[in-house]
Amino acid sequence: MSFELRVKSLIEEKQLIQQDDHLLIAVSGGVDSMALLHYFVQTKDKWGIKVEAIHVDHMLRGEASAEDRAFVQRYCDNHEIYLHAKAIPIPEIMALENGNTQLICRRERYQYFKEVMQKINASKLVTAHHADDQLESVLMALTKNATINSMQGIRPQRFFAGKSLIRPFITVTKSEIREYLLRQGLDYREDASNFKDTYVRNRFRHHVVPLLEAENPRVTEQVTHFTEQLQEDDAYLMTLAEDVFSRTVKKLDENTYSMEIEAFQLVPLALQRRLILILLNYLYKDSNTIQSYALLASILKLCDTTAGYAEVHLPEEFLAVRRYGKLSIQKKEPLEGQTSPEKKIISTANGWTTLTNGERLCVVKLPDLSSELLTDTAQLFYFNASKLKLPLYVRTRKEGDRMLLKGMDQPKRLSRLFIDEKIPLNERNSWPLLISPSDEVVAVIGVRMGMFFSNTPQPNDDTVLIVD
């Protein structure tokens, strides 16, 4: 099968693109991203989509970085593609933070991607990850943290900035991508840092992968099949585990969970692991914590028996306790003098409220809405304050939360909404919800707004919620 047909097949199989999508394509100027951009420039009319490009200059390679940007700009000008570009002073940020260069670059790059996506209302961010990246990721996971999650590698699609991030090249190799670009008669830029062994991924790429390819030239293809099967199997097992979780684990309050150990022991070990993974997703936001093998093993060990008392101290002041045949996970009691954080109140008197995910909320009366309150990324949602009374407040989800959406007779469970909107499991329990005075969920910030809100002012609307 040709390169173009393989990419088209993946897009159709995984439904990565729909008609009228607005794609924002991340382009560095390298062979992979230039091929990605050119593929969609050539096929955008067939797919019925709009295409724009985005480029970040990390300012790490002096004049070479600036030339990368100019190179991408020339291509976009020649093909009438709008390019969003920004130079980010990574050396200055590193000097202030003294952090990992790659992590800082990634954080700043994706923050810019998010800003532009919101500004232009793009439906999808597109990156040029390919099958060689998949192989390297699996090998790195195998040597560092070989959990079920990490071994699944890079997925073709994931949730990002309230929309989607897609990787249409994830099943094709770098050599296939290079051959495609050369057939098109196009050039690309080479980043000199790719040849250095400074970074872990480069060491795998330069030294480990060639050994595997010498044993089996199709090793990249084999790993691609392996990750696809693992992702499919895990998705099915997680569906079973979530059903068992709802019947086995009780949520007593925001930070307390309990289950009968005997009931847990009756569950197959493969589902036991996933029950704990779901529980960790409720407790933590950090994916490294959630995927910690040591943490998983320590909680499983507590459930080996129903006899006696035992406890395990978990990250972020949580405590797992075995007592009287039950496992309880709870937040440790705060030290004397410490208090729990207050609810974030959203009202016309409070001005801007910043949430833990960086979003800002502000409620104003419609006559008071002014341009000073609005930025390029601000979203406006209108409502009638006699129907949705103030003040509103923000919290994370509780067991049984539901939200009534426009056009629906019955409220929808948030657990189902998060699945439908492809919110990552490890983000669901920390996702900010907008709550009415009667403790009703009226909006999932950045995902869906409930029935009270409209994108345009209705005749009786007198108040507006600004999300930025």
Side-chain angles (χ1 to χ4, degrees):
M1 186 184 297
S2 70
F3 172 88
E4 291 90 340
L5 283 176
R6 289 179 63 189
V7 174
K8 181 175 181 287
S9 176
L10 179 71
I11 291 173
E12 292 176 340
E13 177 189 347
K14 302 297 183 181
Q15 298 182 335
L16 300 184
I17 292 174
Q18 285 79 41
Q19 189 171 359
D20 297 324
D21 266 344
H22 185 174
L23 304 187
L24 182 64
I25 301 179
V27 188
S28 67
V31 60
D32 310 324
S33 62
M34 290 305 299
L36 180 71
L37 178 58
H38 188 70
Y39 173 83
F40 281 110
V41 167
Q42 296 294 100
T43 61
K44 59 185 174 66
D45 292 337
K46 293 179 182 177
W47 292 111
I49 57 176
K50 181 180 179 181
V51 171
E52 296 185 40
I54 187 166
H55 173 85
V56 172
D57 174 1
H58 298 108
M59 303 177 71
L60 289 170
R61 296 181 291 115
E63 189 61 31
S65 293
E67 289 173 359
D68 290 348
R69 175 173 175 172
F71 174 80
V72 176
Q73 186 70 65
R74 283 194 298 273
Y75 176 92
C76 290
D77 290 345
N78 291 337
H79 293 83
E80 299 181 342
I81 298 296
Y82 190 86
L83 176 67
H84 304 266
K86 181 179 183 180
I88 301 177
I90 297 298
E92 294 179 18
I93 298 172
M94 287 170 56
L96 290 172
E97 298 185 9
N98 195 29
N100 179 286
T101 305
Q102 283 191 311
L103 292 180
I104 291 173
C105 285
R106 187 185 190 283
R107 181 193 71 198
E108 296 297 321
R109 182 169 66 250
Y110 276 84
Q111 178 59 35
Y112 178 55
F113 292 167
K114 178 180 178 181
E115 291 170 5
V116 173
M117 282 193 75
Q118 293 173 338
K119 179 180 178 180
I120 68 174
N121 197 28
S123 54
K124 281 156 188 168
L125 175 69
V126 192
T127 64
H129 292 90
H130 48 74
D132 294 54
D133 294 322
Q134 186 75 287
L135 171 60
E136 293 157 9
S137 295
V138 170
L139 292 173
M140 290 162 64
L142 187 63
T143 56
K144 182 182 178 183
N145 186 23
T147 64
I148 293 169
N149 270 4
S150 65
M151 293 301 292
Q152 292 177 44
I154 305 168
R155 295 177 179 273
Q157 182 170 3
R158 73 172 177 87
F159 178 83
F160 176 72
K163 304 294 179 63
S164 292
L165 187 159
I166 63 171
R167 302 168 174 119
F169 281 7
I170 197 63
T171 59
V172 294
T173 66
K174 191 178 188 75
S175 62
E176 291 174 311
I177 293 171
R178 183 179 285 107
E179 289 170 7
Y180 163 76
L181 196 62
L182 293 177
R183 285 199 309 271
Q184 302 298 313
L186 296 173
D187 199 3
Y188 58 91
R189 297 279 297 174
E190 195 70 72
D191 185 343
S193 64
N194 290 335
F195 299 105
K196 298 178 181 178
D197 279 351
T198 308
Y199 304 121
V200 175
R201 183 176 289 275
N202 282 1
R203 294 197 292 275
F204 274 89
R205 182 176 299 163
H206 299 156
H207 305 292
V208 179
V209 172
L211 292 175
L212 297 176
E213 289 178 334
E215 292 294 327
N216 179 4
R218 299 179 64 184
V219 65
T220 303
E221 181 183 340
Q222 297 299 325
V223 168
T224 297
H225 293 326
F226 166 73
T227 55
E228 287 175 348
Q229 292 170 13
L230 200 58
Q231 290 168 13
E232 291 165 358
D233 291 353
D234 187 58
Y236 173 68
L237 289 171
M238 282 300 292
T239 300
L240 297 181
E242 287 177 346
D243 180 56
V244 175
F245 185 91
S246 65
R247 293 184 278 107
T248 305
V249 180
K250 294 181 179 179
K251 182 176 182 180
L252 305 180
D253 60 42
E254 277 303 307
N255 295 311
T256 308
Y257 296 83
S258 174
M259 68 179 177
E260 297 288 341
I261 293 177
E262 283 189 355
F264 178 78
Q265 290 174 338
L266 294 174
V267 176
L269 183 57
L271 294 187
Q272 288 183 13
R273 295 192 190 99
R274 287 167 173 82
L275 288 177
I276 294 175
L277 179 62
I278 293 171
L279 187 54
L280 293 176
N281 272 281
Y282 276 95
L283 301 178
Y284 303 110
K285 186 174 183 179
D286 178 54
S287 60
N288 289 329
T289 302
I290 294 164
Q291 295 180 22
S292 167
Y293 176 79
L295 200 56
L296 176 69
S298 64
I299 298 174
L300 276 174
K301 183 69 175 175
L302 273 183
C303 299
D304 278 351
T305 178
T306 59
Y309 175 91
E311 62 181 43
V312 172
H313 292 261
L314 307 176
E316 299 180 22
E317 299 299 311
F318 280 97
L319 187 67
V321 178
R322 183 183 70 228
R323 182 196 295 117
Y324 306 125
K326 284 188 178 182
L327 176 75
S328 298
I329 295 184
Q330 60 202 51
K331 198 81 168 180
K332 296 178 188 175
E333 291 295 323
L335 299 175
E336 188 175 349
Q338 291 181 338
T339 57
S340 58
E342 296 180 346
K343 294 175 181 175
K344 289 186 180 291
I345 305 297
I346 315 295
S347 76
T348 53
N350 283 14
W352 286 101
T353 300
T354 302
L355 308 183
T356 55
N357 66 350
E359 299 271 16
R360 299 191 309 151
L361 304 183
C362 181
V363 172
V364 297
K365 291 295 183 182
L366 200 51
D368 298 331
L369 182 62
S370 65
S371 59
E372 286 79 15
L373 291 169
L374 304 181
T375 68
D376 291 339
T377 58
Q379 295 177 284
L380 304 183
F381 301 100
Y382 302 88
F383 64 99
N384 185 324
S386 65
K387 294 181 179 178
L388 176 57
K389 297 186 181 300
L390 298 173
L392 306 174
Y393 68 93
V394 175
R395 65 163 169 81
T396 53
R397 73 168 174 166
K398 299 191 298 189
E399 187 68 23
D401 270 342
R402 298 170 183 266
M403 181 171 71
L404 191 57
L405 301 171
K406 284 186 176 179
M408 296 184 64
D409 296 328
Q410 298 295 325
K412 185 168 186 173
R413 294 185 60 179
L414 287 199
S415 56
R416 184 70 252 174
L417 178 66
F418 280 137
I419 292 170
D420 291 346
E421 297 291 339
K422 297 182 173 59
I423 306 296
L425 191 61
N426 64 308
E427 297 182 17
R428 294 176 190 173
N429 294 298
S430 60
W431 202 275
L433 310 177
L434 194 61
I435 308 298
S436 72
S438 60
D439 202 41
E440 177 186 1
V441 179
V442 295
V444 180
I445 302 300
V447 179
R448 291 289 296 274
M449 306 299 289
M451 65 167 292
F452 294 101
F453 296 96
S454 300
N455 291 319
T456 55
Q458 302 302 303
N460 293 325
D461 287 346
D462 54 15
T463 313
V464 60
L465 170 70
I466 308 173
V467 181
D468 190 11

